[in-house]
Amino acid sequence: RDLVGNIDESKTLAAVSSAIDDYENRVIPVKRELRSQVIHGDANLGNVLATGDQCAFIDFGDCVKAHRVFDLAIAAAYLRPAGDDPLALILPFVAGYQSIAHLEALERELLFDLVRARLATTVSLFYWRVSARDANDPYRQKTLELENGAAGFLHRLDAVGRKNFEEKLFNN
């Protein structure tokens, strides 16, 4: 919440604030009921090596004992398709995850909020980093290239809504 003041676009500020509110109101009260384990904590496309039918994670600097559904949500927040369907990459990813590690009912109920919370974090950090750098700063340019799509993805997920998200992911 301390970083949202750097967000200078009202629609994005509202989406980020809503995601934070939902996390505080829906996730925090029941967080203790979620299963925990050591998670990667930063499962993004830059930290996955894939070749043929093999896949591996690298960069374990964010590993922490946390709620295991958080790792799924973090990874899903990076699955931002270019097409019209914001769930096009999340659907098969979650289905694959569940084929190995089944989600409990509470984890399924919170996944939408957790993905949005990760995106809210990414967007808040994005605006903070951009505001702290000169226009021609190389790190600022890298940040603009890597994370500029997070706000748009958050808006697209909000348009899908919690109910449709859950129905598409878990009722097919």
Side-chain angles (χ1 to χ4, degrees):
R1 276 213 194 268
D2 293 344
L3 299 180
V4 299
N6 294 295
I7 300 173
D8 59 6
E9 204 279 306
S10 61
K11 182 180 173 186
T12 299
L13 176 58
V16 167
S17 297
S18 174
I20 293 169
D21 290 344
D22 288 345
Y23 181 85
E24 289 176 346
N25 295 322
R26 293 180 44 81
V27 177
I28 289 177
V30 296
K31 207 166 71 163
R32 297 182 119 186
E33 299 172 38
L34 298 170
R35 296 177 289 178
S36 294
Q37 67 181 40
V38 174
I39 66 170
H40 185 273
D42 194 20
N44 66 68
L45 299 177
N47 288 338
V48 177
L49 299 177
T51 179
D53 62 349
Q54 296 182 351
C55 181
F57 283 103
I58 60 171
D59 186 3
F60 294 92
D62 292 318
C63 279
V64 63
K65 183 177 180 188
H67 305 291
R68 82 184 220 181
V69 70
F70 285 17
D71 229 11
L72 177 64
I74 291 165
Y78 287 102
L79 298 175
R80 305 172 193 160
D84 292 334
D85 182 5
L87 302 181
L89 299 175
I90 293 175
L91 284 169
F93 178 71
V94 171
Y97 183 94
Q98 285 213 107
S99 73
I100 303 296
H102 189 72
L103 292 170
E104 294 179 343
L106 181 59
E107 293 167 327
R108 290 190 304 271
E109 290 172 24
L110 297 177
L111 186 58
F112 179 75
D113 300 301
L114 293 171
V115 173
R116 290 174 61 244
R118 176 57 178 220
L119 287 166
T121 301
T122 300
V123 171
S124 298
L125 287 170
F126 168 78
Y127 276 92
W128 172 70
R129 287 176 176 150
V130 168
S131 71
R133 303 281 179 153
D134 293 331
N136 60 351
D137 183 277
Y139 182 81
R140 183 181 192 272
Q141 294 307 314
K142 178 183 173 187
T143 300
L144 285 168
E145 292 168 16
L146 291 175
E147 293 300 346
N148 198 24
F153 192 48
L154 176 59
H155 296 306
R156 292 170 69 200
L157 284 180
D158 282 349
V160 168
R162 178 181 291 105
K163 182 180 177 188
N164 287 335
F165 180 92
E166 290 176 12
E167 285 178 3
K168 288 183 179 190
L169 261 65
F170 305 116
N171 294 331
N172 287 331

